[in-house]
Amino acid sequence: SAVISQKPSRDICQRGTSLTIQCQVDSQVTMMFWYRQQPGQSLTLIATANQGSEATYESGFVIDKFPISRPNLTFSTLTVSNMSPEDSSIYLCSVKRNTEAFFGQGTRLTVV
Amino acid sequence: SQELEQSPQSLIVQEGKNLTINCTSSKTLYGLYWYKQKYGEGLIFLMMLQKGGEEKSHEKITAKLDEKKQQSSLHITASQPSHAGIYLCGADHSGGSNYKLTFGKGTLLTVNP
């Protein structure tokens, strides 16, 4: 398995502000991902975080709103920018190791 | 329509009963993942299936992938309150390039003591 530390675990933020979520993995992984889980919904992939290059975003998600950094093979950040109440969700990072995929504990974001 | 359909949406069982959750894909599955999620928390990896006809077990949970690789089932034997939570299936439809997981909407399991 993989040990994934995600911070913060939860936050309440004012609309218009930004929040940066950190994801630290216990060992090097090639593939890291960021997902969003809106209230009562399943997980949706936001982007694949690529080490040394720009993230690859899924349809409906843009870099200006969700900038991602991946400075090395064990760490990534996701920023939720200019937040609105619609951004209230759980954000999860995930890593793929061999054939298995593991998730962090998630960041529960509430925007007021 | 959804690429990945999970059923049932919710399930309430008495402790000790067996139960099955299904996950049906509209595309060929190159990998099928089962996770458990406690409310508002992260996902706990249960099992991953790749080969048609494959079956894996862990403690009282068994997962199968059918021969055509478009459907999987998760079976819990002699359920316990600790099994309660949301069960999610995730599918790899990519076959290697552009790997990503698509998720079903989840099954909420309640186990009454």
Side-chain angles (χ1 to χ4, degrees):
Chain A
S1 65
V3 177
I4 303 171
S5 173
Q6 196 174 325
K7 296 178 183 179
S9 58
R10 57 177 63 223
D11 208 341
I12 301 173
C13 300
Q14 295 290 326
R15 66 176 69 199
T17 63
S18 298
L19 176 72
T20 296
I21 302 167
Q22 299 181 359
C23 181
Q24 177 75 52
V25 191
D26 63 337
S27 61
Q28 293 183 345
V29 290
T30 304
M31 305 187 81
M32 290 183 76
F33 308 88
W34 287 98
Y35 287 82
R36 179 176 75 181
Q37 186 178 31
Q38 293 177 299
Q41 302 296 314
S42 193
L43 280 74
T44 302
L45 181 64
I46 297 172
T48 302
N50 304 309
Q51 196 266 330
S53 64
E54 273 195 3
T56 304
Y57 289 84
E58 295 297 305
S59 175
F61 297 96
V62 295
I63 188 171
D64 289 346
K65 176 67 177 176
F66 297 102
I68 287 171
S69 79
R70 179 88 194 270
N72 57 54
L73 292 175
T74 64
F75 187 78
S76 178
T77 67
L78 169 76
T79 299
V80 186
S81 304
N82 188 24
M83 288 183 284
S84 66
E86 292 71 34
D87 293 319
S88 298
S89 296
I90 299 173
Y91 292 85
L92 300 113
C93 71
S94 174
V95 303
K96 184 173 184 282
R97 177 168 289 160
N98 299 318
T99 58
E100 297 175 345
F102 303 97
F103 284 78
Q105 282 299 101
T107 296
R108 189 178 196 69
L109 170 62
T110 302
V111 184
V112 297
Chain B
S1 64
Q2 284 276 111
E3 289 183 352
L4 208 60
E5 295 276 358
Q6 245 183 279
S7 62
Q9 200 171 2
S10 64
L11 193 54
I12 302 173
V13 300
Q14 206 64 31
E15 182 176 359
K17 295 294 185 183
N18 303 336
L19 62 106
T20 299
I21 298 168
N22 294 301
C23 181
T24 302
S25 174
S26 58
K27 302 178 182 179
T28 297
L29 294 164
Y30 292 95
L32 190 288
Y33 299 73
W34 283 102
Y35 296 90
K36 180 184 174 185
Q37 184 180 31
K38 290 283 182 88
Y39 178 74
E41 298 182 3
L43 276 63
I44 300 169
F45 175 81
L46 297 175
M47 271 167 277
M48 184 265 184
L49 305 164
Q50 259 186 319
K51 301 175 184 175
E54 188 174 12
E55 179 175 322
K56 288 186 179 178
S57 293
H58 177 68
E59 297 180 341
K60 294 184 178 178
I61 301 177
T62 300
K64 302 178 186 179
L65 182 62
D66 78 349
E67 290 287 348
K68 293 183 179 178
K69 294 174 66 175
Q70 288 204 252
Q71 189 170 31
S72 178
S73 60
L74 185 83
H75 185 75
I76 299 177
T77 303
S79 59
Q80 301 169 352
S82 61
H83 288 126
I86 300 168
Y87 288 83
L88 290 158
C89 63
D92 171 14
H93 289 131
S94 70
S97 59
N98 298 320
Y99 172 92
K100 67 176 183 179
L101 294 184
T102 303
F103 283 86
K105 290 190 174 181
T107 295
L108 174 61
L109 173 63
T110 302
V111 180
N112 289 327

